[in-house]
């Protein structure tokens, strides 16, 4: 009977059979890229070897405690907020977790889309202060690595319906609550006055942020919408006593309006990473495109209305009010 690899549930011979293909691929890349590529690969190999004793120690500890590693999708706010919250809900429900004591250790990508969200996740998760991606990579390469890899959801969809029955995993400190009240006052919103947030998707963010600007992400453009199409609804909300805040980190055009209860927060120079999260968490409800920013009110369980949704499977729902 062949020895079975618990990671992939197939014989070890299949695992080791990948090695010639791996070496051939490395050789081809070095031939194409020359010495710079060769130097990078040697550097990565040496780094992997440094982490080898750590990975072996983790394997030895497995009968007593399982240590797992995972990367937070910190470059896009939808994944950074939504995927992480879904993981926590699934973890609390016992989904994709070991049947013994375990510790999940996270690391973030070099680029973090929102520093306030980063700070709040650091209060909630075990996040390594330095990048351990090579350790995670080595762990996954070696047999048995799957047991030590966090099965992070590659989606912000709550497929198990857990958001409606679990409380948010993030909260603001007393100092942050005070900062938020001051921020609302600076925006011109009187204390205790209800407000809503709205947002349209456009391509400005992906075209402006340096890590995305060299990529052709125009295939997302069909999801865009015109912010001025939202104005009739926004005007009606202000007549009903709400302030309306247009959200967004980078936007293509300013909002044209003559209503002092409408605030173009995305364009007025008052925008901050902190208020991006605070407004999404405290609004009476949120409406707009199914894009990443939509996940901020989602993780705080705020009522929301999704419009201009394409494709339909992008529709996100949680609770009876959405």
């Amino acid at each position: 009977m062949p020895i079975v690899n618990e990671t992939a549930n197939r014989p070890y011979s299949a695992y080791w059979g990948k090695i010639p293909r791996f070496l051939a691929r490395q050789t081809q890349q070095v031939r194409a890229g020359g010495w710079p590529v060769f130097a990078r690969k040697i550097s990565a190999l040496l780094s992997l070897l440094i982490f080898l004793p750590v990975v072996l120690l983790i394997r030895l500890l497995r009968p007593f405690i399982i240590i797992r590693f995972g990367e937070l999708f910190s470059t896009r706010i939808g994944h950074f907020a939504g995927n992480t919250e879904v993981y926590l809900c699934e973890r609390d429900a016992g989904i994709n977790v070991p049947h013994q004591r375990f510790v999940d250790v996270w690391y973030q990508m070099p680029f973090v889309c929102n520093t306030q969200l980063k700070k709040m996740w650091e209060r909630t998760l075990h996040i390594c202060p330095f990048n351990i991606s090579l350790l995670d990579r080595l762990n996954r390469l070696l047999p048995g690595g799957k047991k030590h890899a966090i099965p992070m959801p590659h989606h912000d969809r709550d497929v198990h319906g857990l958001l409606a029955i679990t409380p948010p995993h993030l909260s603001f400190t007393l100092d942050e609550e005070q900062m938020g009240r001051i921020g609302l006052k600076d925006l011109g919103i009187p204390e205790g006055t209800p407000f809503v947030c709205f947002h349209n998707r456009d391509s400005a963010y992906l075209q402006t942020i340096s890590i995305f600007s060299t990529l052709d992400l125009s295939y997302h453009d069909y999801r865009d919408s015109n912010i001025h199409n939202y104005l009739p609804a926004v005007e009606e909300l202000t007549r009903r006593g709400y302030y309306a805040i247009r959200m967004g980190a980078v936007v293509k055009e300013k909002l044209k309006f003559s209503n002092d209860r409408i605030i173009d927060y995305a364009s007025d120079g008052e925008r901050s990473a902190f208020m991006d999260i605070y407004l999404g968490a405290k609004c009476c409800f949120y409406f707009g495109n199914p894009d990443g920013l939509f996940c901020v009110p989602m993780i705080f369980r705020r009522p929301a209305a999704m419009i201009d949704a394409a494709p339909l499977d992008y529709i996100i729902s949680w609770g009876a009010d959405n």
Side-chain angles (χ1 to χ4, degrees):
M1 178 180 292
I3 298 174
V4 176
N5 180 350
E6 62 186 352
T7 300
N9 196 29
R10 57 179 178 268
Y12 275 115
S13 58
Y15 177 85
W16 295 114
K18 291 183 177 181
I19 292 179
R21 295 194 298 272
F22 173 79
L23 293 176
R25 186 167 63 252
Q26 304 307 308
T27 302
Q28 183 180 15
Q29 291 173 357
V30 169
R31 286 175 177 171
W35 283 107
V37 173
F38 179 74
R40 286 200 302 271
K41 290 186 178 295
I42 291 297
S43 176
L45 176 61
L46 293 175
S47 299
L48 288 173
L49 292 177
I50 291 173
F51 284 122
L52 183 59
V54 179
V55 174
L56 295 178
L57 176 61
I58 290 169
R59 295 291 196 276
L60 291 174
L61 291 173
R62 188 158 67 194
F64 311 101
I65 183 171
I66 293 181
I67 302 173
R68 306 193 302 177
F69 300 99
E71 182 181 51
L72 293 172
F73 300 138
S74 59
T75 59
R76 304 278 289 274
I77 196 165
H79 297 304
F80 199 25
N83 296 42
T84 312
E85 179 68 12
V86 169
Y87 151 79
L88 286 167
C89 291
E90 292 181 353
R91 183 200 66 181
D92 293 351
I95 299 171
N96 293 324
V97 298
H99 297 296
Q100 66 183 87
R101 185 182 176 196
F102 71 96
V103 174
D104 284 351
V105 180
W106 297 92
Y107 60 96
Q108 298 171 104
M109 296 176 176
F111 176 76
V112 176
C113 60
N114 186 282
T115 54
Q116 174 62 25
L117 194 56
K118 173 180 181 289
K119 183 187 302 184
M120 297 177 82
W121 285 135
E122 287 172 344
R123 297 199 294 254
T124 307
L125 303 167
H126 299 293
I127 299 179
C128 190
F130 50 89
N131 192 322
I132 54 171
S133 58
L134 287 176
L135 171 60
D136 184 28
R137 181 180 177 186
L138 179 61
N139 168 66
R140 293 169 190 261
L141 284 173
L142 295 178
K146 189 174 182 180
K147 279 186 176 291
H148 300 279
I150 304 172
M152 180 65 163
H154 290 278
H155 54 77
D156 46 31
R157 297 294 304 276
D158 178 26
V159 297
H160 299 287
L162 300 173
L163 288 169
I165 58 175
T166 58
H169 288 86
L170 294 183
S171 60
F172 296 97
T173 65
L174 292 177
D175 287 343
E176 288 170 343
E177 291 285 3
Q178 179 63 19
M179 285 175 54
R181 287 191 289 270
I182 294 172
L184 290 175
K185 183 178 179 181
D186 291 343
L187 288 174
I189 302 176
E191 186 172 355
T193 304
F195 66 91
V196 302
C197 294
F198 66 103
H199 172 65
N200 75 301
R201 187 199 184 280
D202 62 39
S203 58
Y205 180 81
L206 294 181
Q207 291 175 350
T208 303
I209 303 301
S210 59
I211 64 167
F212 303 121
S213 60
T214 59
L215 304 175
D216 182 10
L217 299 174
S218 59
Y219 62 89
H220 283 291
D221 290 352
Y222 74 95
R223 299 165 54 198
D224 294 354
S225 63
N226 188 331
I227 187 62
H228 292 97
N229 291 341
Y230 294 33
L231 279 180
V234 171
E235 294 280 4
E236 177 59 29
L237 287 167
T238 62
R239 283 193 287 271
R240 299 188 183 198
Y242 293 93
Y243 277 76
I245 304 174
R246 186 266 185 100
M247 303 293 292
V250 184
V251 295
K252 274 189 173 181
E253 58 179 328
K254 292 184 176 182
L255 190 60
K256 300 172 184 177
F257 59 93
S258 58
N259 184 330
D260 58 7
R261 281 181 170 264
I262 301 175
I263 300 168
D264 193 356
Y265 164 80
S267 303
D268 66 3
E270 297 293 332
R271 194 209 140 254
S272 68
F274 171 76
M275 289 303 290
D276 284 353
I277 306 303
Y278 189 82
L279 291 170
K282 300 295 183 177
C283 62
C284 290
F285 68 90
Y286 186 101
F287 67 99
N289 287 102
D291 66 350
L293 200 55
F294 207 91
C295 290
V296 176
M298 180 188 86
I299 67 174
F300 289 98
R301 315 302 194 268
R302 305 311 303 150
M306 184 172 287
I307 56 179
D308 292 322
L312 291 179
D313 63 0
Y314 275 33
I315 293 177
I316 305 169
S317 63
W318 63 94
D321 297 327
N322 300 280

